[in-house]
Amino acid sequence: MRFEHETLPQRVRFAPGDAAASVLAEVERLGGSRVMVIAAPGESDLAAQVTAGLPVVLRHDDVVMHVPVATAERARAAAAAHDVDVMVSVGGGSTTGLAKAVALTTGLPVVAVPTTYAGSEATSVWGLTEGARKTTGADPRVLPRAVVYDATLTLSLPVAMSVASGLNALAHCVDSLWAPRTDPIAQALAGEGIRALAAGLPTVVTDPIGLTGREHLLYGAYLAALAFSSAGSGLHHKICHVLGGAYDLPHAQTHAVVLPYVLAFNAPAAPEAERRMATAFDAPTAVEGLRRLRRAVDAPLALRDHGFDEAHIDDAVRAILEVVPAGNPRRVTAQNLRRLLRAASRGADPATVAAMGG
Ligand code: NAD
């Protein structure tokens, strides 16, 4: 067994019902005395709860999904104008993403308090969009210094969004099993992540105001992000990245829809990953495990329901082919990619993708 694995330096606290005290402790550890709180308008009540005891000099709510460059520039200027020394982000991946964009150019430390299951808080990946083009990169400066997970903060996330976001986390696990830098540690994290998410998702659907399912999802989302951060982007993420950036599709729902197609496509050519996933799902096969889970939680079905127009398929295929990871278990061609996107667009049975040739 020979591999190299990098563990990112970050403090993590799970503190159900107790985020405020944990955030205060983390801000004090960082010596923060001029705090910028970043939270979208829909997250401001949660942010107010969490940041009540902090030395806040600025509350910033100008948050936009996929972080347009102009949005990042406004936040950077506001941080400079208020002489901020620590940022606290309270919200989903878009909010965390804005804090990371500010950290990228200023080096300001971030304490992240996630309220969805996107997992951005545990990666050093940043993303910015300009026009229809999304650029991502990895930089140690953007990794939040501390993360505070408090499942009570996710109780207000509507069930449909919780399902999409939890499946986004599941996609981090699945894709990290065959991503370019996958290794046994990332695979172990991914397997445990799948187990936790597969347990948490149906529980959140049947008991949305209970904490048990939400805690499973946060724990699974964190493991998923660690696995993804270490293994890098596999085919699934490359597809979703192109679709999300070029056609302005909602992030979590896009991942939720595309995942079964990429799994069905790659799994027959990745038997070890397949066995690990099947075990984690407690199902005869990985594809069947995901099918059962998606049915139990009424998962989003088709890209066209989320704003994707099939007229874009050929353009999307061209853009995706340029970024397909070299080590993908199956050869990706214009023909099989076109069929995969068409099936995902219409919500067709993923088994049709498993069977197709090059
Ligand atoms: P989001 O942050 O856009 O949140 C979706 C909606 O839910 C927003 O309106 C938000 O205000 C609301 N919301 C969030 N938490 C809530 C709560 N607890 N209760 C009620 N409403 C709540 O969506 P997302 O899926 O979390 O994040 C997507 C973004 O994150 C994308 O831009 C994606 O590229 C990025 N992302 C980055 C990484 C990375 O490693 N860099 C990883 C995953 C996602």
Side-chain angles (χ1 to χ4, degrees):
M1 200 185 270
R2 181 190 289 267
F3 62 90
E4 287 173 21
H5 179 91
E6 188 179 351
T7 300
L8 299 179
Q10 181 178 67
R11 288 175 50 76
V12 177
R13 299 168 81 125
F14 275 73
D18 206 17
S22 293
V23 170
L24 177 60
E26 293 303 325
V27 168
E28 283 174 351
R29 277 180 85 91
L30 291 165
S33 60
R34 299 185 62 79
V35 174
M36 173 178 185
V37 176
I38 301 183
E43 300 154 350
S44 60
D45 288 352
L46 298 173
Q49 272 179 49
V50 168
T51 59
L54 299 180
V56 175
V57 294
L58 173 62
R59 291 187 184 272
H60 189 86
D61 70 358
D62 176 14
V63 173
V64 181
M65 190 180 281
H66 304 311
V67 198
V69 169
T71 305
E73 290 296 352
R74 284 195 294 275
R76 290 166 180 160
H82 289 80
D83 200 15
V84 163
D85 57 13
V86 172
M87 289 180 281
V88 174
S89 62
V90 183
S94 300
T95 297
T96 314
L98 181 60
K100 286 168 126 180
V102 177
L104 181 66
T105 54
T106 62
L108 283 171
V110 179
V111 176
V113 185
T115 63
T116 69
Y117 312 110
S120 174
E121 65 281 358
T123 82
S124 54
V125 176
W126 53 266
L128 287 165
T129 46
E130 196 154 26
R133 197 176 162 78
K134 182 165 182 181
T135 310
T136 59
D139 192 306
R141 277 177 304 181
V142 311
L143 180 74
R145 303 285 182 88
V147 183
V148 175
Y149 289 105
D150 175 349
T152 65
L153 302 177
T154 66
L155 290 173
S156 53
L157 194 64
V159 169
M161 183 61 201
S162 302
V163 165
S165 189
L167 289 169
N168 178 197
L170 192 73
H172 289 146
C173 294
V174 170
D175 218 28
S176 64
L177 292 170
W178 44 56
R181 297 188 311 275
T182 190
D183 66 39
I185 296 176
Q187 290 161 8
L189 292 166
E192 171 65 359
I194 291 172
R195 192 201 58 74
L197 294 164
L201 275 162
T203 312
V204 165
V205 170
T206 52
D207 182 19
I209 54 163
L211 271 192
T212 309
R214 304 278 182 182
E215 288 198 306
H216 272 99
L217 290 194
L218 276 183
Y219 168 64
Y222 171 62
L223 297 180
L226 292 183
F228 169 62
S229 174
S230 158
S233 290
L235 178 63
H236 171 85
H237 277 80
K238 295 297 185 187
I239 292 174
C240 292
H241 177 91
V242 167
L243 296 179
Y247 311 114
D248 199 25
L249 305 184
H251 177 84
Q253 290 83 351
T254 302
H255 279 265
V257 170
V258 171
L259 182 61
Y261 299 97
V262 177
L263 175 64
F265 179 74
N266 268 350
E272 249 184 68
E274 202 286 326
R275 270 195 304 280
R276 189 185 289 270
M277 288 184 272
T279 305
F281 279 122
D282 193 19
T285 65
V287 167
E288 176 60 13
L290 183 58
R291 192 189 66 79
R292 289 178 189 172
L293 176 64
R294 287 173 49 81
R295 180 169 291 184
V297 301
D298 198 14
L301 274 184
L303 286 178
R304 65 182 176 193
D305 298 342
H306 297 280
F308 182 67
D309 180 342
E310 279 190 26
H312 295 309
I313 285 183
D314 284 340
D315 280 345
V317 164
R318 268 191 293 279
I320 294 164
L321 280 176
E322 284 176 24
V323 293
V324 169
N328 191 63
R330 262 184 90 175
R331 197 163 75 89
V332 180
T333 64
Q335 191 192 357
N336 57 31
L337 198 49
R338 199 175 295 117
R339 287 168 65 182
L340 188 153
L341 290 184
R342 195 175 302 122
S345 172
R346 299 174 182 180
D349 183 352
T352 57
V353 168
M356 71 197 185

